[in-house]
Amino acid sequence: MFRLPAPVLALALLATAFLGSTSMPASAADSPEDARLAKFFQNYLDLWMAQRPLEATLLGNHDFDDVLEDVSPESRKNWETLVRLTLEGLPKEVDFRKLSRGSQIDYEILKHHLERTLWVWENIRPFETDPRTYGEYITNSIFLPLTQSTLPREQNVANAAARMRYAPSIIEAAKRTIRNPPRVVLETAIRQNKGAIAFFESGVYEVSGETPGVSSFKAASAPAIAALKSYQEWLEKEALPNASGEWRLGRERFVRKLELELEGAFPADEVLAEAESEFARVQRDMYVISRQLWSQHFPDSPLPPDDQSGRAETIRKVIAKISEDHSRPETLTAETRATVDAIKDFIAKKDILRLPEPDRCQIIEMPEFQRGNSVAYLNPAPPLDPAASSMYAVSPPPSEWDDARKESYLAEYNRRMLLILSIHEAYPGHYVQLEYSNRHPSLIRRILSSGVFAEGWAVYTEQMMLDQGFHERDLGLRLVQLKFYLRTVANAILDHKLHAQNMSDDEAMKLMVDGAYQSEGEAFGKLIRAKQTSCQLSTYFVGRMAFYRLRQQIQREMGDDFHLGRYHEAVLDHGTLPVKYLPELVRERLKQPR
């Protein structure tokens, strides 16, 4: 098992990284230059994973599951050296002109990844300004191998116990490195660190099935728990009083970061203008449906006046009535499983696309220590271990919440909203799309995936499924889908105006609560997220619009020859790549048999 014991070894390996051979054979169909690019990337990836064991785990390589990164500033200089040398070496070692078209796209994806990585490290400096970064190393490094690795359970438990001993050194690096973070980020890190302590004290036994009294975790976790408690005190008493950093990017950095995040698909001002136009359209559609549903829910009350405030009242009251139909905490997971079965049956019956076989998506109840941040998430099978299971986790409200807060949460994520979430997260959204992606022969595309593609596809499927007749007599479901999509549109507006136009908290809350019909609790959580994750919230809207436009264009071009299932498979056949490449690739794929 290869290890990277010191920075010196990393730098020594770099000298031979680009010309050394690998065990990866070239496909018979590859051109020599295509094979050269594949070898170049494999060498980079091998060094990257050796430097960063948690990244290897996330990708599905389990060679380093018992060790963790050295996240000290000195070690991170070597990470940067690797990326810079790779970026400099790419045009020297690979002739772009000699590559096939598919490999030219891979080349551009790799180049963009390297440039974006360096820009973020130089301009955002997450290790200095974002204390949450360190917490992810400590908890994710244990949680992921225990829940997704295909290694034997005993090996995963041993690896997790070995990894626990690295927690104190990561915390020491955090204390050395964190400098004047934004208060809103630090407050989140403080809450998350409390969750990390709970995870090491009890959650780790919940996810692993180990018995606390006899498990090897008991001795291994003790130093980690002590370090985390010390870190908690440091965060609260030393870091928090000095947390006055600026969370806003400012226009110049926002525009550049968004360009990198969207992979050059659309300029920032164009995204904002389109989002504001779409916001008004979706509000109009929601009013039309709410007006139709009014007499069903309020048979003895006249429809409010058809003016701005009356339309908003109509929408809000109808949504509130629909939200009363929600699950109970103890039935949420079982109802989600039944919902997924119905969705899969509809997809097969309507030939929306061919579902992956075998189906490796597990529907689980979110562990207690993870609850309170989101109602659902998908942990996909990693690209280097595609035989692993994907996990679609749904979250009952945290047990410590009072009854009123639980009721508000369940109303926001009512039964109809759970249908939309299951479409988005699992079928035919994230789970299906990423299973297709893991089949792609290009390692570059499997590893360096596009968030715009992944999120855009998931949002596109929400409306598409209803357009094809899923629960077609349920106008309430259509209204909830539009509300969920309006949140996506609002997120793009919020992202831009908070970071580039100095939008105030009150203005942001008004946009979400009054304009997008969100509960105050949901809106406040999104405001916190928007301050901490600049540019990511725009990917959902931009990706959805790219998929929507492409569908309209190709369907119009093909006319009666257009087949939806064949089209969707042609979209997903190319991996999770930047959406700007889809028009040429999908059109070419549709010339071939399904």
Side-chain angles (χ1 to χ4, degrees):
M1 186 180 296
F2 177 70
R3 287 287 179 270
L4 191 67
V8 174
L9 177 54
L11 292 174
L13 286 170
L14 288 176
T16 58
F18 306 125
L19 295 176
S21 63
T22 72
S23 58
M24 179 180 176
S27 165
D30 288 342
S31 73
E33 207 64 21
D34 288 356
R36 192 170 179 83
L37 174 63
K39 181 190 294 185
F40 180 91
F41 179 68
Q42 182 71 62
N43 282 328
Y44 164 69
L45 182 62
D46 288 344
L47 287 168
W48 177 261
M49 291 189 297
Q51 284 186 335
R52 307 188 67 180
L54 177 56
E55 294 289 334
T57 299
L58 289 167
L59 294 173
N61 180 308
H62 301 296
D63 290 346
F64 310 97
D65 280 1
D66 59 340
V67 293
L68 264 183
E69 283 88 328
D70 175 0
V71 295
S72 68
E74 297 80 10
S75 176
R76 288 186 282 108
K77 278 290 184 184
N78 290 315
W79 303 1
E80 182 180 334
T81 298
L82 173 60
V83 175
R84 286 193 185 282
L85 287 177
T86 306
L87 182 59
E88 293 169 6
L90 180 59
K92 298 175 183 176
E93 297 299 325
V94 181
D95 188 339
F96 181 84
R97 298 166 300 176
K98 294 180 181 178
L99 294 169
S100 65
R101 179 57 187 144
S103 288
Q104 285 181 340
I105 290 172
D106 289 352
Y107 180 107
E108 291 172 350
I109 291 171
L110 174 56
K111 183 173 182 286
H112 180 87
H113 156 77
L114 298 167
E115 291 172 342
R116 179 184 180 278
T117 298
L118 290 172
W119 188 91
V120 168
W121 286 348
E122 292 169 357
N123 292 274
I124 306 300
R125 305 190 315 280
F127 287 91
E128 297 174 32
T129 62
D130 189 350
R132 298 172 304 164
T133 304
Y134 299 91
E136 291 171 0
Y137 283 101
I138 294 170
T139 53
N140 285 355
S141 63
I142 307 300
F143 179 72
L144 290 174
L146 290 175
T147 55
Q148 279 195 299
S149 170
T150 54
L151 295 177
R153 176 184 175 277
E154 296 76 11
Q155 184 64 55
N156 290 326
V157 168
N159 286 339
R163 262 188 172 171
M164 288 179 181
R165 70 181 187 268
Y166 289 89
S169 64
I170 288 176
I171 288 169
E172 276 306 307
K175 292 178 180 179
R176 286 177 55 200
T177 310
I178 294 169
R179 294 289 182 273
N180 195 29
R183 190 177 187 86
V184 66
V185 177
L186 183 57
E187 287 172 344
T188 299
I190 288 171
R191 290 193 298 271
Q192 289 180 343
N193 194 65
K194 290 178 181 177
I197 293 170
F199 173 66
F200 277 89
E201 288 180 334
S202 60
V204 69
Y205 302 104
E206 180 183 344
V207 299
S208 67
E210 289 283 286
T211 302
V214 297
S215 174
S216 59
F217 289 158
K218 186 172 184 180
S221 65
I225 293 170
L228 285 165
K229 289 180 176 179
S230 170
Y231 187 42
Q232 188 72 23
E233 184 175 0
W234 182 85
L235 288 171
E236 293 176 353
K237 294 183 178 180
E238 295 188 40
L240 189 59
N242 299 311
S244 58
E246 177 56 69
W247 56 265
R248 295 186 201 268
L249 286 186
R251 177 170 173 79
E252 184 178 348
R253 283 198 302 164
F254 176 81
V255 168
R256 178 56 180 153
K257 188 182 180 189
L258 188 66
E259 178 185 27
L260 291 166
E261 197 77 31
L262 303 183
E263 298 133 340
F266 304 97
D269 290 342
E270 184 178 318
V271 172
L272 177 61
E274 186 166 35
E276 290 180 325
S277 173
E278 186 75 346
F279 193 83
R281 182 195 69 79
V282 177
Q283 284 182 319
R284 290 194 298 271
D285 285 358
M286 290 178 70
Y287 176 64
V288 170
I289 294 173
S290 298
R291 188 171 58 190
Q292 291 175 277
L293 289 170
W294 179 266
S295 61
Q296 177 182 324
H297 293 290
F298 303 97
D300 300 323
S301 299
L303 184 74
D306 186 6
D307 55 24
Q308 184 174 350
S309 62
R311 290 191 291 270
E313 179 187 358
T314 302
I315 295 169
R316 192 173 303 282
K317 285 186 173 180
V318 171
I319 287 174
K321 276 293 184 182
I322 290 171
S323 299
E324 292 175 2
D325 180 23
H326 60 71
S327 305
R328 302 188 308 275
E330 63 272 18
T331 65
L332 187 65
T333 306
E335 289 188 31
T336 301
R337 291 194 179 105
T339 291
V340 163
D341 288 340
I343 292 171
K344 290 196 291 184
D345 287 346
F346 178 84
I347 291 171
K349 178 181 177 182
K350 291 287 189 175
D351 193 17
I352 302 297
L353 47 63
R354 287 174 290 196
L355 291 170
E357 291 291 345
D359 189 331
R360 296 191 178 95
C361 186
Q362 297 182 10
I363 302 169
I364 66 169
E365 185 172 289
M366 194 180 295
E368 181 73 38
F369 73 92
Q370 290 186 321
R371 298 179 192 175
N373 295 315
S374 63
V375 71
Y377 66 71
L378 182 89
N379 267 352
L384 298 181
D385 191 8
S389 296
S390 295
M391 292 184 301
Y392 172 31
V394 291
S395 173
S399 56
E400 72 270 13
W401 284 5
D402 61 32
D403 289 344
R405 191 175 181 187
K406 288 179 181 178
E407 176 64 24
S408 175
Y409 175 90
L410 291 168
E412 180 72 21
Y413 295 102
N414 54 75
R415 286 191 170 94
R416 289 179 174 88
M417 184 66 84
L418 284 173
L419 278 170
I420 302 301
L421 278 169
S422 292
I423 290 170
H424 179 108
E425 297 290 348
Y427 304 89
H430 285 318
Y431 166 67
V432 171
Q433 184 264 311
L434 292 168
E435 279 286 304
Y436 268 77
S437 184
N438 278 345
R439 301 174 184 175
H440 198 276
S442 166
L443 186 62
I444 288 176
R445 295 192 200 177
R446 296 202 307 273
I447 298 295
L448 306 180
S449 59
S450 163
V452 179
F453 187 113
E455 299 299 354
W457 168 261
V459 177
Y460 160 80
T461 63
E462 299 160 14
Q463 177 181 322
M464 178 274 296
M465 286 284 285
L466 272 59
D467 288 347
Q468 294 310 118
F470 184 66
H471 285 228
E472 59 187 344
R473 292 187 174 89
D474 188 352
L475 278 178
L477 179 61
R478 177 68 78 171
L479 183 61
V480 168
Q481 180 265 314
L482 285 170
K483 178 193 172 185
F484 196 51
Y485 175 53
L486 188 63
R487 183 188 305 182
T488 294
V489 182
N491 287 346
I493 299 171
L494 197 68
D495 191 26
H496 187 115
K497 291 193 172 183
L498 280 171
H499 288 281
Q501 294 186 4
N502 293 320
M503 178 186 240
S504 69
D505 286 6
D506 287 345
E507 289 170 334
M509 291 295 289
K510 183 177 177 62
L511 171 71
M512 291 183 284
V513 175
D514 296 345
Y517 310 103
Q518 298 177 32
S519 68
E520 287 199 4
E522 176 70 26
F524 182 74
K526 186 55 61 67
L527 175 60
I528 298 299
R529 177 180 169 185
K531 290 178 177 181
Q532 299 177 134
T533 56
S534 55
C535 300
Q536 194 272 337
L537 286 177
S538 294
T539 61
Y540 299 77
F541 173 70
V542 171
R544 184 268 182 189
M545 293 305 293
F547 279 107
Y548 188 77
R549 277 191 291 265
L550 181 65
R551 160 84 181 273
Q552 309 313 307
Q553 292 165 1
I554 291 185
Q555 187 167 352
R556 182 62 64 192
E557 290 169 10
M558 297 187 70
D560 292 341
D561 291 332
F562 181 83
H563 183 279
L564 188 62
R566 182 179 179 223
Y567 166 76
H568 285 154
E569 290 166 12
V571 166
L572 299 185
D573 271 350
H574 310 285
T576 314
L577 81 175
V579 294
K580 65 184 178 182
Y581 298 114
L582 280 177
E584 64 171 298
L585 294 175
V586 171
R587 287 185 173 92
E588 188 62 33
R589 179 66 183 86
L590 287 171
K591 296 176 183 177
Q592 305 163 22
R594 185 177 182 185

